[in-house]
Amino acid sequence: MSKKAIITSALPYANGEIHLGHVASTYIPADVTTRFLKMTGVEAYYVCASDDFGTPILIQSEKEGKTPSEYVSHWNKRDYEDFTSLDIAFDYFYKTSSDENISFVQDVFKKLNAAGHIYEKEIIQFYCKNDQKFLPDRYVKGSCPYCNAEDQYSDLCESCGRVPEEITNPKCSICGQTPVKEKTNHYFFKLKNFGDSLYKWLDENEHLQKDVKKYVQNWIKSGLIDWDITRDISWGVKVPIDGIENKVFYGWFDNHLAYISTALKFLNEKGIDGKDFWNSADIYHFIGKDIVYHHYLFLPAMRLGINSEYKLPDYIPTRGHLTLQAKKISKSRNWYIGLKQFLQYYPSDYLRYYLISINPYSQDDLNFDWDDFATRINSELIGNLGNFVNRALGFTKKTFDGKVPKPDVFDEKDHEAEAKIKNLAPELSVLMEQNHLDRALKKIMEFSSYFNQYFQHKEPWKKGPGTSTCVFLSVNAAKTLAISLFPFLPRSAQNIWSQLNLDGDVQHSAWNDMSVLDLSEGHILGSPSPLFTKVESDEIQKHKQQLGPSN
């Protein structure tokens, strides 16, 4: 691992509120990883931006009587507020419609064009006579020519993940009529030319998930198609060629370039050479499995096309979709939970805990289930973690007047408990570096469970020999939990830290400090109080009843 890192997440589309499905696969894992890297001494920065361009935004802004710029400005602000309320700690959150990104995108196009990777071609495009407009991408729906899945957008099949050359049985998404075909000139990126170099890059990158690499390489073997990178609309990054009007870049041409332009702006303004930092850092792009094609083919090919002026990603952690009560999330059917809405019910750490716990480092879909959520919070967070911390600190307060006692001679069980503390940091580090965040969190909870059992086994309330050793080790274990939990549950970790009466913020602790027993004799604890409150079953029933069509 490098001592520098830039972390990005797939950009939120500035066309509606953030819901649970958005945060599960990309933002929470990226935030956890960034916090971990910073605690290990890596100079890590987490940057993101709202994805501001495209036909849906143009049409929705017209409906609301706003300019597209006004419309996306509202959602940029709202998205940032919602992310912040979940403790997603971006170092910088910007926008693809920024002057810096527009300039950067146009510059990349000019370089690709000068290198011979761009050509112009007359194409036949779907056109809706009823709406009197060309219909790019998400405004044509039909059947996927590869897997025959119905009700798919023309720019991405959500069933098989491929980008169709042409959708079958097309319909206009706006009015439902069958569009006609009209001629127009578009610019294309020669993706076909990069098959060999992409295959080689995938082969040589050991950090990418093997199953994802395999099927992307199969796509390459079956033949790539050149990529139409322009659209006939007014809202977007203008094609920088004299005489070209009302032609902008396709959103997937410009949005991932905002990873770079946003990082450059942030770093340069900090007095750091952004380009040099990017090229000497580990690059992480956290995504959901629906945009593999774009991040494993389009993104690296464009960077290769400008001679890797900006290095290709080292990690592209790819996770599955979130379903809700075992059904696909759908805003139109009211089968979703807005992030802002959820956080009015429960603390951010409850959602972070649950979504990390059920989310493996794989493309397997995960399911949010209200009953399972309640069970895990009540039995794991409260019954295990909250119970141990409260027992250990409460007993110390009551029996030793809140002062950490001097330990007696260690017996076998004490030595075993001490080893658990000393071994946790290296054991967790391996899992975190491999992006197995769910397994790392599970190991922390197993550590807490062990100390619950240790405390029970030692029976310090009987005040026999070994009582002070048990309390000494248990209080140090609580400190271990505060540090190890910080990337996952930042508010709860700080709460434990404060109850231990430790200085400053837990986020400034070094990761390996969790395995150091440095809460020594005489340290005075703060005031212990319950970390969590129970999730009530009647509340859960209400939340379930709110899903689906309103009566």
Side-chain angles (χ1 to χ4, degrees), residues 63 68 127 132 176 224 242 329 363-364 442 453 458 540:
K63 282 182 184 176
Y127 183 86
Q132 296 188 333
L224 299 175
D242 290 342
I329 288 173
Q363 293 180 89
D364 295 341
K442 184 180 179 184
Q453 293 165 18
K458 298 293 282 189
I540 294 298

Side-chain angles (χ1 to χ4, degrees), residues 6 22 32 48 69-70 131 157 173 192 217 238 260 278 287 295 314 391 410 428 439 446 471 523 531 538:
I6 293 173
H22 293 129
V32 171
C48 196
S69 184
E70 289 169 342
D131 295 301
C157 174
S173 297
K192 282 180 191 170
Q217 287 178 321
K238 307 292 183 194
I260 304 174
W278 180 282
I287 65 167
H295 282 78
D314 300 285
R391 278 176 100 185
F410 282 26
L428 288 179
R439 296 184 196 174
E446 287 170 350
V471 171
H523 175 80
L531 293 173
D538 58 337

Side-chain angles (χ1 to χ4, degrees), residues 310-418:
Y310 297 91
K311 71 176 281 196
L312 278 65
D314 300 285
Y315 302 85
I316 313 178
T318 306
R319 286 177 168 83
H321 295 140
L322 182 75
T323 57
L324 176 58
Q325 301 295 120
K327 291 183 190 175
K328 185 178 179 181
I329 288 173
S330 167
K331 279 193 172 183
S332 62
R333 296 195 303 272
N334 193 37
W335 201 261
Y336 81 106
I337 305 169
L339 179 57
K340 184 175 182 179
Q341 176 191 1
F342 186 95
L343 295 176
Q344 288 169 349
Y345 304 150
Y346 300 109
S348 57
D349 278 356
Y350 284 23
L351 182 60
R352 289 175 69 104
Y353 179 79
Y354 184 65
L355 291 181
I356 296 164
S357 297
I358 65 171
N359 198 351
Y361 183 40
S362 76
Q363 293 180 89
D364 295 341
D365 288 344
L366 50 150
N367 179 48
F368 183 98
D369 181 272
W370 272 118
D371 292 324
D372 184 49
F373 167 78
T375 299
R376 285 179 184 259
I377 298 304
N378 290 339
S379 67
E380 297 171 15
L381 269 192
I382 299 174
N384 175 4
L385 176 65
N387 181 50
F388 167 67
V389 172
N390 200 246
R391 278 176 100 185
L393 304 193
F395 185 82
T396 309
K397 191 81 173 173
K398 181 180 174 185
T399 308
F400 292 94
D401 202 25
K403 291 181 182 176
V404 177
K406 181 180 180 181
D408 299 322
V409 176
F410 282 26
D411 64 16
E412 186 179 345
K413 200 73 180 170
D414 300 327
H415 282 299
E416 182 183 88
E418 180 187 35

Side-chain angles (χ1 to χ4, degrees), residues 24 49 52 106 118 146 188 203 210 255 326 349 378 389 470 485 493:
D52 292 349
Q106 291 175 332
I118 305 290
Y146 297 113
F188 284 75
D203 245 5
K210 289 185 174 62
N255 61 12
D349 278 356
N378 290 339
V389 172
C470 170
L485 281 169

Side-chain angles (χ1 to χ4, degrees), residues 90-363:
F90 299 119
D91 289 285
Y92 193 58
F93 187 78
Y94 206 33
K95 54 189 179 181
T96 63
S97 58
S98 69
D99 291 343
E100 293 88 350
N101 189 56
I102 291 170
S103 174
F104 187 78
V105 170
Q106 291 175 332
D107 186 54
V108 168
F109 172 79
K110 289 173 185 174
K111 287 173 180 173
L112 291 171
N113 197 19
H117 300 310
I118 305 290
Y119 63 91
E120 186 180 10
K121 175 183 164 187
E122 183 182 88
I123 65 161
I124 306 297
Q125 173 118 39
F126 290 122
Y127 183 86
C128 182
K129 286 189 171 179
N130 182 56
D131 295 301
Q132 296 188 333
K133 59 181 67 190
F134 281 105
L135 299 176
D137 314 319
R138 303 242 144 181
Y139 277 83
V140 181
K141 278 191 165 185
S143 302
C144 173
Y146 297 113
C147 72
N148 299 318
E150 296 180 353
D151 200 32
Q152 299 299 317
Y153 294 113
S154 69
D155 67 336
L156 174 68
C157 174
E158 292 180 345
S159 179
C160 72
R162 297 190 69 172
V163 176
E165 193 158 7
E166 184 174 309
I167 203 83
T168 310
N169 303 320
K171 299 289 181 193
C172 171
S173 297
I174 306 169
C175 67
Q177 294 188 16
T178 301
V180 298
K181 292 182 175 180
E182 299 278 358
K183 292 178 180 177
T184 182
N185 275 27
H186 278 201
Y187 288 88
F188 284 75
F189 174 64
K190 295 180 181 177
L191 186 63
K192 282 180 191 170
N193 289 3
F194 292 89
D196 290 345
S197 50
L198 285 169
Y199 199 97
K200 181 172 182 285
W201 169 68
L202 288 165
D203 245 5
E204 292 174 353
N205 189 327
E206 297 176 358
H207 302 304
L208 302 177
Q209 286 147 279
K210 289 185 174 62
D211 59 334
V212 186
K213 278 168 65 166
K214 188 174 181 181
Y215 74 73
V216 173
Q217 287 178 321
N218 285 335
W219 286 343
I220 295 170
K221 284 178 186 173
S222 66
L224 299 175
I225 55 173
D226 287 344
W227 181 31
D228 184 349
I229 59 169
T230 52
R231 298 294 185 265
D232 296 293
I233 58 174
S234 57
W235 177 241
V237 179
K238 307 292 183 194
V239 176
I241 294 177
D242 290 342
I244 299 294
E245 298 293 331
N246 269 350
K247 209 173 286 290
V248 301
F249 289 116
Y250 172 42
W252 275 108
F253 184 85
D254 78 78
N255 61 12
H256 65 84
L257 291 173
Y259 297 157
I260 304 174
S261 65
T262 301
L264 295 183
K265 177 176 172 61
F266 169 70
L267 291 164
N268 289 337
E269 287 184 352
K270 280 177 68 74
I272 298 169
D273 185 318
K275 189 173 186 178
D276 180 66
F277 189 97
W278 180 282
N279 288 323
S280 59
D282 282 337
I283 306 298
Y284 295 75
H285 298 318
F286 282 79
I287 65 167
K289 68 178 181 181
D290 55 321
I291 51 176
V292 163
Y293 203 97
H294 308 84
H295 282 78
Y296 281 74
L297 293 175
F298 295 161
L299 178 153
M302 285 173 64
R303 291 190 201 166
L304 290 167
I306 57 171
N307 297 317
S308 302
E309 184 180 342
Y310 297 91
K311 71 176 281 196
L312 278 65
D314 300 285
Y315 302 85
I316 313 178
T318 306
R319 286 177 168 83
H321 295 140
L322 182 75
T323 57
L324 176 58
Q325 301 295 120
K327 291 183 190 175
K328 185 178 179 181
I329 288 173
S330 167
K331 279 193 172 183
S332 62
R333 296 195 303 272
N334 193 37
W335 201 261
Y336 81 106
I337 305 169
L339 179 57
K340 184 175 182 179
Q341 176 191 1
F342 186 95
L343 295 176
Q344 288 169 349
Y345 304 150
Y346 300 109
S348 57
D349 278 356
Y350 284 23
L351 182 60
R352 289 175 69 104
Y353 179 79
Y354 184 65
L355 291 181
I356 296 164
S357 297
I358 65 171
N359 198 351
Y361 183 40
S362 76
Q363 293 180 89

